[in-house]
Amino acid sequence: MAHNTQQPDAAVRPALWNSNYLKVWIANFMLFFAFYLLAPLLPLYLRDTFSADKAMIGIVLSGYTLTALAVRPFSGFVVDTFPRKKVLMICYFAFALLFAGYFITGSLVLFAAIRTLHGGPFGATTVASSTMAVDVLHPERRSEGIGYYGLSNNIAMAIGPSTGLYIYHTIHNFNLLFTMSLVIAFAGLIIDSTIKCRERQPIKKESKVSLDRFILLKGWSEGVCIAAFAFSFGIISTYIAIYSQEVLHITSGSGTFFMILACGLILSRLVGSRSLRQGKIVQNASAGMVISMCGYLVFSAIPNIYGYYAAALMIGLGNGHMYPAMQTMFINLAPHDRRGTANSTILTSWDVGIGAGIIGGGSVAEHLGGYSSAFWLAFIVNMVGVAFFFLHARRSFLRNRLR
């Protein structure tokens, strides 16, 4: 009898991979593929085309992240207030179009201006896209779906940098890479245009606009942790290609590094999504942080090819467990009408860390002992973030969560 009563429940379990979720997933993959195709190559482009030094490379490339950071809190407010699909389409279009600007960068100043401007629609689009993904998921599959949604970023990271580096080392044509990113981004825009989603009632205008409409204040301690982890990742992801060439003398190893890192991300997301479905949010986050921290230690302490690739796998496994768990924590701290704000807050925290890591890593590499010192800084900041999570942020989440 017990078996018969349980069988219908399993049969009517809502689908995870519904058509709209799949479209958001694929379009988000294309967004990040267009981004990652160029990300590890831009330091080389600035060095070879404009003879930029380490500190200047850090300053120029951080502009993208800082602009994304500036718009994300407002993006959450806009996504929660106006029709989400319309917001997504406008932002995605601007993101795709700005790839055309790289063809006219005849000077370092002009490149810096276009790259900095490009961060705005990227920041807004990622908030709108992740919030749309939450909307089209059934509530029963939401935690699991958030984990799988992150795979779209991870798979893009697996093949984007390695594809870009392969093309660069084969034909040395940056314009072809700019063209590929432009076309891929517009393909993602077309896919997003076919999404069907329910029209939501707009949020009633509040007479007083509070800070909590832009930043999820209850998630501040989780945001500090995310910023610390992003700081470390910003250093690694930005300077790995130059470090590989100049220090380890690995000419094309950074493509393999990103591939291994992303394989770790994908593997841990697949395993971690099941744990999230079972409600093991804090456990997933805790395990991921410790594994990732060990990866940064290995990268810094073992400066050879073995430490290089082992660290890639460990950082990937750690971040793959940590990030979706932390995103679920932010969603669980927010009311339903503040999902956009929750998503923008975690992404804003990530941007703060990435931007600080790019600038800080470049400055340390230029003035305080080269890239090895920058990677030790990445480990130390990561360790501080882990300590803060265990000492404060974890308890804060358990005390303040809504579901």
Side-chain angles (χ1 to χ4, degrees):
M1 251 338 248
H3 176 74
N4 290 337
T5 55
Q6 289 175 359
Q7 198 167 9
D9 290 339
V12 298
R13 193 175 182 213
L16 171 64
W17 294 94
N18 64 70
S19 61
N20 288 317
Y21 176 68
L22 191 59
K23 288 172 184 176
V24 177
W25 195 99
I26 293 171
N28 192 62
F29 163 79
M30 291 185 166
L31 174 88
F32 277 91
F33 185 82
F35 171 77
Y36 280 119
L37 191 70
L38 300 181
L41 289 164
L42 292 179
L44 300 175
Y45 177 73
L46 294 175
R47 182 193 67 184
D48 297 344
T49 307
F50 303 114
S51 302
D53 63 23
K54 299 180 184 75
M56 183 56 67
I57 289 170
I59 291 169
V60 170
L61 295 183
S62 66
Y64 185 95
T65 304
L66 295 175
T67 311
L69 164 64
V71 305
R72 270 183 171 155
F74 303 100
S75 303
F77 176 78
V78 170
V79 164
D80 283 337
T81 306
F82 299 100
R84 282 177 183 161
K85 182 178 176 180
K86 195 174 291 185
V87 173
L88 175 60
M89 296 302 295
I90 292 170
C91 296
Y92 207 140
F93 175 77
F95 169 77
L97 187 63
L98 275 167
F99 279 109
Y102 296 133
F103 293 106
I104 59 169
T105 53
S107 69
L108 183 62
V109 172
L110 185 56
F111 178 90
I114 291 174
R115 183 67 180 169
T116 299
L117 188 63
H118 203 175
F122 175 78
T125 305
T126 50
V127 171
S129 183
S130 59
T131 308
M132 179 71 77
V134 173
D135 278 353
V136 299
L137 283 164
H138 191 279
E140 286 183 30
R141 309 301 298 268
R142 191 162 287 146
S143 293
E144 187 182 6
I146 289 171
Y148 284 119
Y149 176 77
L151 282 173
S152 58
N153 306 7
N154 303 152
I155 295 173
M157 184 190 291
I159 61 179
S162 51
T163 302
L165 286 161
Y166 175 79
I167 293 170
Y168 169 74
H169 288 299
T170 304
I171 59 176
H172 297 277
N173 189 331
F174 282 107
N175 281 339
L176 175 61
L177 290 160
F178 296 150
T179 302
M180 287 178 64
S181 289
L182 178 71
V183 171
I184 291 163
F186 270 108
L189 175 68
I190 292 168
I191 291 171
D192 264 344
S193 70
T194 65
I195 295 169
K196 293 182 175 66
C197 58
R198 295 191 309 272
E199 287 295 326
R200 299 173 308 107
Q201 291 296 321
I203 294 176
K204 293 178 183 176
K205 301 273 186 202
E206 298 175 6
S207 54
K208 185 173 149 186
V209 177
S210 64
L211 182 61
D212 202 43
R213 292 295 292 112
F214 302 98
I215 297 289
L216 187 67
L217 296 177
K218 284 198 295 187
W220 75 267
S221 56
E222 290 80 7
V224 169
C225 296
I226 286 289
F229 306 143
F231 183 95
S232 308
F233 192 75
I235 292 177
I236 288 276
S237 60
T238 301
Y239 300 111
I240 190 75
I242 292 181
Y243 174 76
S244 302
Q245 288 185 2
E246 294 186 359
V247 179
L248 298 181
H249 308 294
I250 304 172
T251 54
S252 58
S254 51
T256 308
F257 180 93
F258 278 107
M259 182 75 77
I260 293 172
L261 188 147
C263 286
L265 282 164
I266 292 166
L267 180 62
S268 61
R269 292 254 185 178
L270 291 172
V271 174
S273 290
R274 290 195 209 101
S275 300
L276 288 176
R277 188 173 67 226
Q278 295 163 3
K280 298 177 180 177
I281 301 169
V282 174
Q283 295 93 321
N284 261 30
S286 302
M289 290 170 195
V290 172
I291 294 169
S292 184
M293 181 182 68
C294 292
Y296 287 107
L297 176 61
V298 168
F299 189 94
S300 303
I302 309 175
N304 59 35
I305 194 166
Y306 303 107
Y308 182 80
Y309 290 128
L313 181 60
M314 294 171 74
I315 293 169
L317 287 169
N319 281 11
H321 273 297
M322 176 274 296
Y323 193 90
M326 291 293 282
Q327 186 174 9
T328 304
M329 289 167 74
F330 274 89
I331 295 293
N332 288 354
L333 287 168
H336 293 302
D337 63 352
R338 296 289 192 271
R339 283 179 194 154
T341 302
N343 277 317
S344 73
T345 302
I346 187 172
L347 291 169
T348 298
S349 303
W350 185 262
D351 287 341
V352 169
I354 290 283
I358 293 172
I359 295 173
S363 297
V364 168
E366 183 70 24
H367 303 296
L368 296 173
Y371 289 114
S372 296
S373 298
F375 294 130
W376 275 112
L377 176 65
F379 165 68
I380 291 168
V381 172
N382 193 273
M383 183 173 61
V384 170
V386 172
F388 183 73
F389 178 81
F390 282 102
L391 293 173
H392 177 77
R394 183 168 58 170
R395 281 187 305 228
S396 174
F397 167 72
L398 293 173
R399 189 169 59 250
N400 292 311
R401 65 181 173 181
L402 300 178
R403 51 193 171 275

